[in-house]
C-alpha cells in the first residue's frame, strides 16, 4: 500500500520531561480529512505539534509526500506546504482581517490578491469585515480569520488544533462545512477535535488516542459505529 | 487688548516652548515604545542612545563647519544628521549583536533585559563623556529667530512680544515629518506590517515565516534614527550635555507610559501631555494673570506652582497617577 501524503510515523517524544507520545501514528491522505480524538490529556495536541515540528521526537519520523521532514523547523515546514492553526492566539488581534491574510502570505513574493479572493469566497463574512481589527470579531469569525490566514500560503496540508473550541454549535457546524469545502479543493486536513462525534462524522480517517498511543484507528464512520469506541469515548 | 497681551505672553512662554519640548519628548518616547513593542523590554539606554547620536552629529557638524560648509539659514547640524543616524544605527546594531541577542536566544525575562539595558546605559554614558567630555556644547548656527519679540511688537503694536526661535520651528516641522513617515511605514509597508505582526503575536509571526532577526534589526535602525533626531533637536533647542540627556529618560518614560507603552500614538500624546504639564506647572503666571484679572486682583507673587528645579517631579506625579488609575495608559498600550 502506498504511504499516506503526510504521516507522523510511530512518534515518541514530549516537551523535554517524560514522553507524552509513545509510538503514536497519525496520517492523512491527499484531499482527505483525518481527525484525532481522545480523552483529555491523551496527547492529541501534542501529536499534532509533533507532526508540525514544534517538539522533539526521539523515535519515529514525519514524512511529507515521501520526504523525511523530521528534522525541519516549523518555519521550514511552512515553506514545504504545511500550514498550522494553533488552538489559541491564532490571529493578529490588533491588525485588520486583510492584514492578517497578508501576513499569512508573508513568505510569498508573487501576487496574493487571487488567494485573498479565494479566502473571501470561502468565508464571505471576512470580506465584509476586512478593514476591521481581527480582535474585534466574534469567536467563530476569528477562527475563520485564523483558517484563512493559514490558507494564504496555498498549503497542501492544513493542520487545525481544535478549530471549534469555544464556539456555539451552529458556528461549529458551519466551520465543519467550510473545512469539508477546503478538503474538496485537494488540501489534506489533519485536525484535533473535542467534539468527537461531529468531527468523526466528517472524517475520512479517525484516530483515537489514549495516553499517547493509538487506541483505535479506522474510518470516521466505522469508529462511530464501533460499540467499543461509542461506549468508552462517545458517551454511548 | 489686555486679553490679547495675555494670550501672546502665554504663547511666548508656555505654548511655543512646550510644543517644541513636547515634540522632542514624543520622538524620544516613540523610540522607547517601539523597543518595548518589538523587543519587549524598557530600554533604559535610550537617553544615552540619544546622547550618542547627538554627539556623532555634533562631531560631524564641527568637521563640516571647519571645512567651511554651511546650510544657509538652517543649522549645519541638519546636514550632519544623516551621519549621526548612520553612526547610531551601527552602534545599536553592534550592541544588539554583542549584548541583547544573547539574552534573546536565552529567552530571558523582560526584567533581565531591563537590567541589561541599564548596563548598556552606563557604558554608553562613559563612552560619550570620554569622546566629547561631560561639559555643555552649543552647536546651533544659522538664523536664530523666525520671529523676534521686537519684530512681533512692531508688527502688532502689542506690548507683549512673541519670539519663535528657528530651532523651535525646526523641531515641530521635523517631528511632524518624522511621525508621518513612521506611521506610513508601520501602516502600509510590508516590513512595517511584519513589525506590527511580530509585536502582536510573536509565535504566529514565526509560523507565518516572518524572520525575527530582521524585524529586530529594522526596529533598532528606526529607533536609532528617532533617538538621534530627538537628541539633535533637543540639543539645538537647548544645548547638549550628556547628563541632561541621561535625565531626559524620566520624562521620556513618563510620556511612553502615560500614552500607553507599545502604542506609537500614545507616545506622541504622552510627550505633549508631559511637556505641557511640566512647563505650565513651573511657569510663573504673574504676567498672564496681571493682564487678565482686574487690577485689584492682580497677584503680588510670581504665581509659580513649582520651581523649575522640581520639573521632574511633574513627570513623576503624572506617572504615579496613571499607573494607579489606568496602568495601560491613555491609549491602551502593549502592542503596536
Amino acid at each position: 500500500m502506498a504511504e499516506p501524503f503526510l504521516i507522523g510515523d510511530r512518534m515518541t517524544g514530549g516537551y523535554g520531561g517524560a514522553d507524552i507520545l509513545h509510538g503514536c501514528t497519525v496520517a492523512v491522505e491527499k484531499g482527505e480529512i483525518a481527525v484525532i480524538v481522545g480523552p483529555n490529556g491523551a496527547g492529541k495536541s501534542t501529536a499534532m505539534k509533533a507532526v508540525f515540528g514544534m517538539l522533539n521526537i526521539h523515535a519515529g519520523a514525519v514524512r511529507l509526500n515521501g520526504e523525511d521532514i523530521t528534522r525541519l523547523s516549523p518555519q521550514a515546514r511552512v515553506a514545504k506546504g504545511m500550514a498550522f492553526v494553533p488552538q489559541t492566539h491564532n490571529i493578529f488581534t490588533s491588525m485588520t482581517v486583510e492584514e492578517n491574510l497578508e501576513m499569512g502570505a508573508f513568505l510569498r513574493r508573487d501576487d496574493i490578491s487571487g488567494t485573498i479572493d479565494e479566502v473571501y469566497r470561502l468565508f464571505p463574512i471576512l470580506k465584509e469585515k476586512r478593514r476591521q481589527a481581527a480582535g474585534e470579531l466574534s469567536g467563530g469569525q476569528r477562527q475563520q480569520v485564523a483558517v484563512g490566514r493559514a490558507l494564504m500560503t496555498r498549503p497542501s496540508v492544513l493542520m487545525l488544533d481544535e478549530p471549534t473550541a469555544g464556539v456555539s454549535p451552529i458556528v461549529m457546524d458551519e466551520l465543519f462545512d467550510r473545512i469539508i469545502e477546503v478538503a474538496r479543493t485537494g488540501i489534506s486536513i489533519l485536525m484535533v477535535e473535542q467534539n468527537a462525534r461531529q468531527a468523526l462524522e466528517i472524517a475520512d480517517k479517525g484516530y483515537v488516542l489514549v495516553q499517547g498511543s493509538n487506541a483505535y484507528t479506522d474510518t470516521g464512520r466505522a469508529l462511530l459505529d464501533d460499540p467499543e469506541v461509542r461506549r468508552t469515548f462517545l458517551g454511548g | 487688548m489686555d486679553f490679547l497681551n495675555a494670550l501672546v505672553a502665554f504663547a511666548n512662554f508656555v505654548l511655543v516652548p512646550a510644543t517644541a519640548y513636547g515634540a522632542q519628548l514624543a520622538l524620544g518616547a516613540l523610540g522607547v515604545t517601539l523597543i518595548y513593542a518589538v523587543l519587549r523590554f524598557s530600554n533604559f539606554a535610550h537617553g544615552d542612545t540619544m546622547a550618542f547620536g547627538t554627539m556623532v552629529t555634533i562631531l560631524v557638524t564641527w568637521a563640516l563647519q571647519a571645512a567651511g560648509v554651511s546650510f544657509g539659514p538652517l543649522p549645519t547640524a541638519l546636514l550632519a544628521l544623516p551621519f549621526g543616524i548612520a553612526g547610531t544605527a551601527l552602534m545599536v546594531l553592534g550592541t544588539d549583536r554583542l549584548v541583547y541577542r544573547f539574552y534573546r536566544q536565552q529567552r530571558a525575562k523582560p526584567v533581565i533585559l531591563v537590567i541589561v539595558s541599564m548596563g548598556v546605559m552606563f557604558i554608553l554614558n562613559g563612552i560619550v563623556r570620554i569622546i566629547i567630555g561631560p561639559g555643555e556644547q552649543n552647536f546651533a548656527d544659522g538664523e536664530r529667530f523666525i520671529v523676534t519679540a521686537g519684530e512681533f511688537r512692531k508688527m502688532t503694536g502689542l506690548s507683549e512680544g512673541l519670539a519663535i526661535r528657528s530651532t523651535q520651528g525646526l523641531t515641530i516641522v521635523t517631528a511632524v515629518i518624522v511621525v508621518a513617515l513612521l506611521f506610513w511605514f508601520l501602516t502600509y509597508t510590508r516590513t512595517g506590517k511584519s513589525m506590527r505582526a511580530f509585536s502582536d503575536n510573536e509565535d504566529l509571526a514565526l509560523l507565518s515565516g516572518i524572520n525575527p532577526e530582521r524585524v529586530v534589526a529594522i526596529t533598532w535602525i528606526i529607533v536609532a534614527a528617532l533617538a538621534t533626531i530627538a537628541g539633535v533637536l533637543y540639543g539645538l533647542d537647548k544645548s547638549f550635555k550628556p547628563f541632561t540627556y541621561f535625565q531626559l529618560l524620566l520624562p521620556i518614560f513618563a510620556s511612553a507610559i502615560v500614552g500607553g507603552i507599545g502604542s506609537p500614538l500614545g507616545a506622541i500624546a504622552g510627550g505633549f501631555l508631559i511637556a505641557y504639564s511640566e512647563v505650565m506647572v513651573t511657569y510663573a503666571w504673574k504676567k498672564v494673570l496681571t493682564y487678565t484679572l482686574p487690577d485689584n486682583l492682580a497677584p503680588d507673587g510670581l504665581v509659580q506652582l513649582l520651581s523649575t528645579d522640581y520639573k521632574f517631579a511633574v513627570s513623576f506625579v503624572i506617572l504615579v497617577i496613571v499607573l494607579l488609575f489606568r496602568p495601560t495608559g491613555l491609549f491602551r498600550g502593549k502592542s503596536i
Side-chain angles (χ1 to χ4, degrees):
Chain A
M1 195 183 125
E3 193 174 71
F5 183 66
L6 170 70
I7 180 164
D9 195 8
R10 283 161 290 174
M11 300 180 293
T12 300
Y15 295 99
D19 284 348
I20 296 170
L21 301 174
H22 306 281
C24 163
T25 296
V26 290
V28 61
E29 299 282 354
K30 192 109 198 108
E32 290 197 345
I33 300 176
V35 174
I36 306 172
V37 297
N40 283 337
K44 304 185 295 283
S45 291
T46 312
M48 183 87 121
K49 285 178 182 160
V51 172
F52 198 65
M54 290 162 86
L55 60 104
N56 292 323
I57 54 174
H58 53 76
V62 182
R63 285 186 297 276
L64 178 70
N65 210 0
E67 187 190 343
D68 191 323
I69 56 167
T70 317
R71 298 280 150 237
L72 291 187
S73 68
Q75 285 86 326
R77 290 176 207 222
V78 171
K80 290 265 178 209
M82 294 171 73
F84 181 64
V85 180
Q87 186 181 343
T88 53
H89 304 291
N90 50 19
I91 55 169
F92 300 111
T93 48
S94 64
M95 302 177 82
T96 67
V97 170
E98 190 145 304
E99 284 172 341
N100 266 273
L101 299 183
E102 285 172 25
M103 286 302 107
F106 192 78
L107 282 175
R108 285 173 58 183
R109 283 295 188 170
D110 54 332
D111 185 23
I112 60 167
S113 54
T115 318
I116 290 189
D117 286 339
E118 277 168 43
V119 171
Y120 286 157
R121 249 199 308 283
L122 194 61
F123 304 116
I125 187 75
L126 297 189
K127 184 167 192 175
E128 234 171 84
K129 310 231 167 194
R130 66 184 185 279
R131 305 247 171 269
Q132 213 169 316
E136 294 169 4
L137 303 184
S138 72
Q141 290 164 354
R142 290 162 75 125
Q143 288 306 74
Q144 296 182 12
V145 174
V147 174
R149 184 206 63 83
L151 288 174
M152 286 305 294
T153 49
R154 285 185 298 192
S156 51
V157 183
L158 179 63
M159 302 174 57
L160 306 164
D161 194 352
E162 300 205 17
T164 63
V167 302
S168 71
I170 298 168
V171 175
M172 182 181 77
D173 285 345
E174 207 193 308
L175 268 174
F176 279 154
D177 284 347
R178 290 299 127 76
I179 289 168
I180 296 172
E181 253 177 81
V182 173
R184 290 221 179 97
T185 64
I187 298 176
S188 311
I189 294 188
L190 180 64
M191 65 175 178
V192 168
E193 258 301 331
Q194 281 286 350
N195 301 304
R197 189 187 296 269
Q198 290 89 334
L200 287 174
E201 267 166 21
I202 66 161
D204 295 295
K205 193 92 182 240
Y207 294 88
V208 180
L209 299 193
V210 177
Q211 295 191 336
S213 326
N214 295 81
Y216 303 91
T217 305
D218 212 326
T219 63
R221 193 71 252 159
L223 286 176
L224 282 170
D225 293 339
D226 184 333
E228 182 73 11
V229 174
R230 291 170 68 104
R231 194 172 52 75
T232 41
F233 299 110
L234 304 175
Chain B
M1 212 51 159
D2 272 357
F3 181 71
L4 275 183
N5 274 322
L7 217 58
V8 170
F10 176 75
N12 189 37
F13 293 106
V14 178
L15 197 60
V16 173
T19 306
Y21 180 45
Q24 290 147 8
L25 285 187
L27 289 175
L30 272 174
V32 165
T33 236
L34 278 181
I35 291 290
Y36 187 87
V38 175
L39 287 107
R40 294 166 221 285
F41 70 93
S42 306
N43 182 15
F44 272 64
H46 198 74
D48 287 286
T49 308
M50 282 167 63
F52 185 91
T54 314
M55 174 194 76
V56 176
T57 310
I58 292 174
L59 294 177
V60 177
T61 306
W62 286 344
L64 287 173
Q65 284 168 341
V69 182
S70 90
F71 202 10
L74 293 170
T76 317
L78 278 191
L79 289 177
L81 190 58
F83 297 97
I85 292 173
T88 314
L90 286 178
M91 186 277 291
V92 291
L93 286 175
T95 316
D96 185 70
R97 183 59 56 92
L98 282 173
V99 184
Y100 295 116
R101 194 165 68 164
F102 171 79
Y103 292 94
R104 205 161 47 242
Q105 281 163 353
Q106 312 283 310
R107 291 196 160 249
K109 290 197 184 76
V111 64
I112 294 178
L113 281 162
V114 169
I115 306 294
V116 168
S117 81
M118 285 176 76
V120 172
M121 171 185 92
F122 286 123
I123 303 269
L124 274 183
N125 224 312
I127 291 176
V128 170
R129 279 160 218 231
I130 288 170
I131 297 178
I132 203 165
E136 195 166 305
Q137 315 286 346
N138 280 303
F139 60 106
D141 54 4
E143 205 64 55
R144 290 242 318 128
F145 287 97
I146 299 174
V147 187
T148 66
E151 281 168 4
F152 184 86
R153 272 195 290 265
K154 218 178 285 161
M155 228 158 50
T156 56
L158 292 170
S159 53
E160 281 301 319
L162 174 64
I164 302 179
R165 277 183 291 136
S166 41
T167 51
Q168 291 167 332
L170 193 67
T171 295
I172 293 159
V173 172
T174 314
V176 169
I177 295 172
V178 167
V179 167
L181 272 176
L182 179 69
F183 276 81
W184 171 82
F185 174 79
L186 287 176
T187 317
Y188 296 111
T189 66
R190 196 177 123 89
T191 309
K193 284 180 195 173
S194 73
M195 275 174 65
R196 279 160 53 215
F198 186 83
S199 158
D200 183 314
N201 188 337
E202 191 175 334
D203 292 330
L204 197 61
L206 293 177
L207 282 184
S208 305
I210 293 169
N211 178 355
E213 287 303 311
R214 187 164 174 271
V215 169
V216 166
I218 289 167
T219 307
W220 276 118
I221 293 171
I222 295 172
V223 167
L226 287 169
T228 309
I229 294 169
V232 168
L233 290 176
Y234 185 88
L236 283 173
D237 193 19
K238 282 137 188 150
S239 72
F240 173 77
K241 193 178 179 199
F243 185 65
T244 320
Y245 279 57
F246 164 72
Q247 281 186 321
L248 271 179
L249 207 55
L250 178 64
I252 282 176
F253 263 98
S255 306
I257 292 168
V258 166
I261 194 156
S263 155
L265 211 58
I268 296 166
F272 284 104
L273 186 77
I274 295 286
Y276 285 124
S277 316
E278 206 174 272
V279 174
M280 280 177 22
V281 171
T282 55
Y283 174 61
W285 290 90
K286 180 179 167 71
K287 201 176 223 170
V288 172
L289 290 178
T290 314
Y291 278 122
T292 44
L293 296 175
D295 283 343
N296 52 351
L297 282 177
D300 296 326
L302 283 173
V303 203
Q304 184 181 19
L305 294 175
L306 265 183
S307 138
T308 45
D309 294 338
Y310 291 110
K311 64 179 180 189
F312 289 114
V314 180
S315 311
F316 248 132
V317 169
I318 296 176
L319 194 57
V320 168
I321 293 173
V322 167
L323 287 177
L324 277 179
F325 295 104
R326 199 179 163 96
T328 53
L330 299 174
F331 282 79
R332 296 243 166 258
K334 266 228 168 87
S335 84
I336 41 172

